[in-house]
Amino acid sequence: MAIIYQCRHCKEEIGRLEEQVLDAALLGIDQLTAKEKQEMLKYQEDGNIKIFAICDACEDTLQEHPHYHELDYFIH
């Protein structure tokens, strides 16, 4: 099982944790609301969990262009 962090905007893989057993509390997943979990987590058929976050490049772009927050996808 892997936890895969992917940017919600540019779709680049930010990071990956390859572990047999992962503690949701250590990752902070238990701190998310039900709505946040629905928006940020995708459980894949192969047992992996994809977590949608924001990469550094997209975060920098959002700071430079705050109106981009309205968009689900943008190219930087």
Side-chain angles (χ1 to χ4, degrees):
M1 177 176 91
I3 302 288
I4 304 161
Y5 289 86
Q6 182 178 357
C7 181
R8 71 176 66 233
H9 296 289
C10 69
K11 309 301 183 217
E12 288 292 320
E13 186 174 305
I14 300 168
R16 177 184 291 257
L17 299 171
E18 299 277 352
E19 297 292 331
Q20 293 298 319
V21 178
L22 290 168
D23 185 350
L26 288 175
L27 297 174
I29 294 172
D30 62 328
Q31 300 295 311
L32 299 174
T33 65
K35 183 179 179 186
E36 289 170 333
K37 287 179 183 176
Q38 183 179 7
E39 293 173 355
M40 295 179 66
L41 303 177
K42 180 178 180 185
Y43 295 89
Q44 300 180 307
E45 291 180 16
D46 60 3
N48 293 340
I49 301 171
K50 196 171 274 193
I51 299 176
F52 295 99
I54 301 175
C55 71
D56 290 338
C58 288
E59 180 65 28
D60 291 344
T61 301
L62 285 168
Q63 287 183 14
E64 292 174 23
H65 307 280
H67 62 283
Y68 283 6
H69 281 280
E70 301 168 5
L71 307 174
D72 290 331
Y73 178 80
F74 58 86
I75 299 174
H76 57 267

